[in-house]
Amino acid sequence: LVLSLAWLGPALGGEDKDEEVIEEEEKEKKEDEVLSDEIEEEDNVLVLHEHNFARALSEHQLLLVEFYAPWCGHCQQLAPAFAQAATELRNESSPARLGKVDATAQTALATEFGITSYPTLKLFRDGNRTHPLAYTGRKDSQGIVRWMQRRAGPSATLLQDTDTAAAFVSSQDLVVVGFFKDLRGEAAQAFFEVAAETVDMTFGVAEAAELFQEYGLSADTVCLFKKFDERQTNFPVDPARGLDTAELTRLLRVHSLQLVMEFTDETSNQIFGAKIPHHMLLFLNKSSPEQLSLRDSFRAAAGGFRGEVLFVVVDVTGHGANVLPFFGMTAADAPTLRLVKMESNHKYQMEQDNFSDSAIRTFIQAVLDGKVKPHLLSAEPPEDWDTRPVKVLVGKTFEQVAFDETKNVFVKFYAPWCSHCQAMAAAWEELAERYKDREDIVIAEMDSTANELENITINGYPTLHYFPAGPGRKMVEYKGTRDVETFSKFLENGGTLPEEPPVSEVREQPPCPRQSPAPAG
C-alpha cells in the first residue's frame, strides 16, 4: 500500500510540487543573477558584496570601502560626502575608487574584515585583501579626496634644484621638506609615511647636495617652512634612533600652529588636533582697543612654552561667546585669563588677573609645577534637590552625598545635550522610583557640563559611578546595559553584576564624548 501510494504521488499531487520546485529554482537563479560578479554603481560608489568583492579588488589599484548598516545614523550622515568624494575622484581619472558594503547583509565580508562598528572604512591596495589599511582621515568629502590622493600619487614632491625648492617653499603659507642623503633609506621612508598621513600639509623631499648647502644643513633633517613666526624650523634626524613617525607628526602639528592662535570656527580643529597638553586662554572683547593691546604681552609670554602650552585668544563678542558658559563666565568678565589642563579638563585662574608677560609666565609655571589648585565650576543646588526620587547633585554638594558612609550612592554624570543621556532618562527615573523608600540607596545625577570635581574626570556621557557605603572613598564604574532591571541587579548585588556569558554586538557609535565648543576640548 505504501509503495503504491508512493508511485501514485506524481498523479495525486506531484504536478503542483514540480511547479513549486520550478519557482524555487527560478528564485535562486534570480538571486544568483543579482549577486553575480557584476559591479553596479550608485552615485559613482561601487556597490559591493560577496560575489563581486574579489573582482573589484582586482580591477582597482586603490579601493576605499565603507562597511555600513542601513539603519546607522552616522552612515546616513556620511553618505552624501562619500558619494561626492567618489564623484570627484572619478572625474579626475584617479586610480582610487570608493565602494560600499552593507555589512548587515554581507555578513561573511563583515566577519572577514572584523567589522565591529559602523561606519568602518578600509583601504585595499593592489588587490590585497589580507591587510587593508584603516582610514584615518576626516569624514567629509574634501578630507576623503585628499587622503586618497596622497595614496594614489607620491606623498612628497621631489625638489631637484634651488629654483624648484625656492618656488616650492614660497608656494604656500606652510610647507614641509625632508632633506635626506638617501631617499631609499629608512629615515626617508618614515618621512613618506608621515606625508601620506598628514594630508592637510604639503610635503617636499630633497637629496641634492646643493640644497643641503642652500638651507644650511649637513645631515638628514626635516624642515618646516612658514610665512609666519619662525620662517624655518629644523627637526634633525637622530642618527641612532632614526626618524620616529609619531614624534615627527606631533612636532609638525605643534609648530604648524601660530604662536598665538585666535579661536574661530576655522581654527578650532587645528587647536584641538595639535594635542598640546595645556591651553592658556586670553578672553577679551575685540571691539575694545584697550583690551586688544593685551595681546602683545600675552604673545611675549608664549615663546618659552611652545609644545607644552598653546596660547589662544578668545573674542567674547565673536565666536568665543558660545564657549563662555563652559567657563561659568559672561562677556562682562573680559578681559581675563584661564589655563586649561586638557587631560583632566581642569581650569586654573589667577587670584587677580595680571596681564604682564612675566606674571603670565610665573602663573603658568606654577600650574605646571602643581602649585595651583584648579578652579572648579559648581551650580547652585535646587531647593528641592533631595526631595525628588532622583537626587540632584552639584559640585559643592557632591562630596557630602556621594561619600556618605551610610549610603550606597549611584550617580549618573550627564550632559543636557547628550542623546544617550536623554534616551536613558526614563529608566533612571524609574530606578529612582523603585528605590525611593530604601534608606541605604541613593539614586542621583549631576550635570557635568556645569559642575566639576577635582578627583573625578568624566570622559564621556553618560558615565555611571557607584559609591558604596562604608569607610574609604571607593568608587565603582558601571559598565552594564542601561536598563532598569540590570541597574537593579547591580544594586542588589552590592555594586557588581552577576557573571553572564559575553554577548558579541555590533555597535553603531560609542557613548557621547566629553565635548565643549571651547579650546578646552
Side-chain angles (χ1 to χ4, degrees):
L1 179 63
V2 173
L3 185 61
S4 64
L5 285 175
W7 280 107
L8 286 170
L12 295 173
E15 188 173 344
D16 290 339
K17 187 173 180 181
D18 284 345
E19 287 178 2
E20 290 175 8
V21 170
I22 291 169
E23 286 177 8
E24 187 65 29
E25 288 175 349
E26 288 179 351
K27 182 180 177 183
E28 289 178 0
K29 185 179 178 182
K30 285 181 180 177
E31 288 178 353
D32 285 341
E33 287 174 0
V34 171
L35 295 179
S36 70
D37 70 348
E38 291 298 317
I39 301 175
E40 296 184 359
E41 296 187 18
E42 291 178 4
D43 299 324
N44 294 308
V45 177
L46 310 181
V47 180
L48 305 177
H49 46 72
E50 294 166 21
H51 296 268
N52 66 9
F53 199 83
R55 176 177 173 179
L57 293 185
S58 69
E59 291 182 356
H60 300 289
Q61 179 188 352
L62 288 170
L63 182 61
L64 180 66
V65 179
E66 176 201 2
F67 294 86
Y68 72 96
W71 45 259
C72 163
H74 291 285
C75 303
Q76 292 161 10
Q77 290 174 356
L78 175 63
F82 200 69
Q84 184 178 340
T87 302
E88 287 187 35
L89 289 168
R90 184 157 195 187
N91 287 346
E92 63 184 36
S93 300
S94 169
R97 293 298 306 272
L98 305 189
K100 62 181 180 180
V101 171
D102 178 351
T104 64
Q106 304 301 317
T107 54
L109 290 176
T111 301
E112 178 182 354
F113 299 115
I115 306 304
T116 58
S117 62
Y118 305 125
T120 294
L121 278 64
K122 291 182 179 288
L123 176 68
F124 297 84
R125 184 188 288 273
D126 298 323
N128 185 333
R129 70 189 289 159
T130 57
H131 293 91
L133 181 68
Y135 178 79
T136 55
R138 300 197 323 257
K139 287 181 179 172
D140 57 65
S141 60
Q142 203 55 47
I144 294 169
V145 168
R146 284 181 180 173
W147 196 86
M148 293 298 284
Q149 285 172 333
R150 279 290 166 92
R151 281 148 185 83
S155 57
T157 301
L158 178 61
L159 308 176
Q160 296 180 320
D161 54 48
T162 54
D163 289 341
T164 56
F168 182 82
V169 166
S170 63
S171 64
Q172 297 186 43
D173 288 345
L174 183 150
V175 298
V176 184
V177 180
F179 294 83
F180 300 100
K181 297 291 179 67
D182 179 7
L183 292 184
R184 291 160 298 283
E186 289 185 10
Q189 295 308 307
F191 176 78
F192 289 130
E193 283 182 36
V194 173
E197 285 295 327
T198 315
V199 298
D200 55 339
M201 297 184 194
T202 301
F203 288 76
V205 68
E207 65 175 343
E210 65 174 309
L211 292 179
F212 275 78
Q213 184 177 352
E214 177 73 15
Y215 292 96
L217 307 172
S218 58
D220 288 1
T221 305
V222 176
C223 297
L224 179 65
F225 295 96
K226 299 180 289 189
K227 292 183 179 179
F228 55 88
D229 297 339
E230 314 92 345
R231 298 293 168 165
Q232 177 178 336
T233 306
N234 297 340
F235 307 112
V237 176
D238 187 310
R241 291 174 53 243
L243 194 154
D244 183 296
T245 57
E247 177 63 9
L248 177 59
T249 301
R250 188 191 72 80
L251 288 170
L252 293 176
R253 288 282 172 219
V254 167
H255 288 268
S256 67
L257 298 175
Q258 295 185 29
L259 189 59
V260 177
M261 300 287 291
E262 182 172 347
F263 179 60
T264 67
D265 192 37
E266 292 75 28
T267 62
S268 60
N269 283 337
Q270 284 181 285
I271 288 169
F272 301 133
K275 305 296 183 188
I276 295 176
H278 304 85
H279 289 178
M280 184 65 188
L281 313 178
L282 169 60
F283 292 89
L284 52 75
N285 185 331
K286 285 184 71 175
S287 63
S288 163
E290 183 181 357
Q291 292 189 26
L292 271 179
S293 68
L294 298 175
R295 293 183 301 182
D296 295 336
S297 56
F298 190 63
R299 181 182 180 82
F305 296 100
R306 191 187 272 280
E308 183 67 19
V309 181
L310 178 61
F311 282 60
V312 184
V313 173
V314 183
D315 179 13
V316 298
T317 60
H319 188 66
N322 298 326
V323 311
L324 295 176
F326 177 74
F327 293 89
M329 290 167 42
T330 67
D333 292 314
T336 188
L337 296 160
R338 294 290 187 277
L339 189 144
V340 184
K341 187 172 288 188
M342 300 299 289
E343 183 180 15
S344 63
N345 220 29
H346 284 161
K347 308 171 188 70
Y348 300 82
Q349 68 181 78
M350 293 180 175
E351 290 184 12
Q352 182 70 43
D353 279 321
N354 184 330
F355 299 97
S356 71
D357 57 311
S358 60
I360 293 171
R361 280 194 294 266
T362 300
F363 170 69
I364 292 173
Q365 196 58 55
V367 173
L368 297 183
D369 293 341
K371 297 177 180 177
V372 181
K373 279 192 166 291
H375 174 72
L376 303 172
L377 290 180
S378 177
E380 290 301 318
E383 290 185 9
D384 61 344
W385 73 271
D386 61 346
T387 62
R388 313 176 192 176
V390 177
K391 311 307 177 190
V392 180
L393 305 185
V394 295
K396 60 181 67 174
T397 62
F398 180 84
E399 287 274 326
Q400 69 189 64
V401 177
F403 295 108
D404 182 338
E405 294 186 2
T406 67
K407 313 273 188 202
N408 298 292
V409 185
F410 202 9
V411 183
K412 174 183 73 174
F413 298 88
Y414 74 97
W417 45 259
C418 164
S419 58
H420 298 290
C421 303
Q422 295 158 8
M424 70 164 280
W428 201 247
E429 290 287 343
E430 186 179 337
L431 182 72
E433 282 288 341
R434 182 177 294 190
Y435 287 94
K436 67 180 180 181
D437 296 324
R438 285 278 297 267
E439 289 293 325
D440 62 327
I441 291 179
V442 174
I443 308 300
E445 66 182 11
M446 190 175 89
D447 177 356
S448 289
T449 66
N451 299 279
E452 297 169 328
L453 305 170
E454 184 169 359
N455 297 313
I456 300 175
T457 300
I458 305 302
N459 292 314
Y461 303 122
T463 291
L464 307 177
H465 284 313
Y466 175 75
F467 302 85
R473 298 165 63 85
K474 297 175 184 173
M475 180 177 78
V476 178
E477 184 175 0
Y478 176 86
K479 294 184 177 179
T481 53
R482 299 176 194 142
D483 62 78
V484 177
E485 295 309 319
T486 312
F487 289 151
S488 290
K489 285 181 187 176
F490 178 78
L491 291 172
E492 298 297 340
N493 209 42
T496 60
L497 283 171
E499 286 293 327
E500 295 178 359
V503 177
S504 175
E505 64 171 330
V506 175
R507 57 187 173 84
E508 175 183 354
Q509 56 181 323
C512 295
R514 184 191 74 206
Q515 290 180 346
S516 89

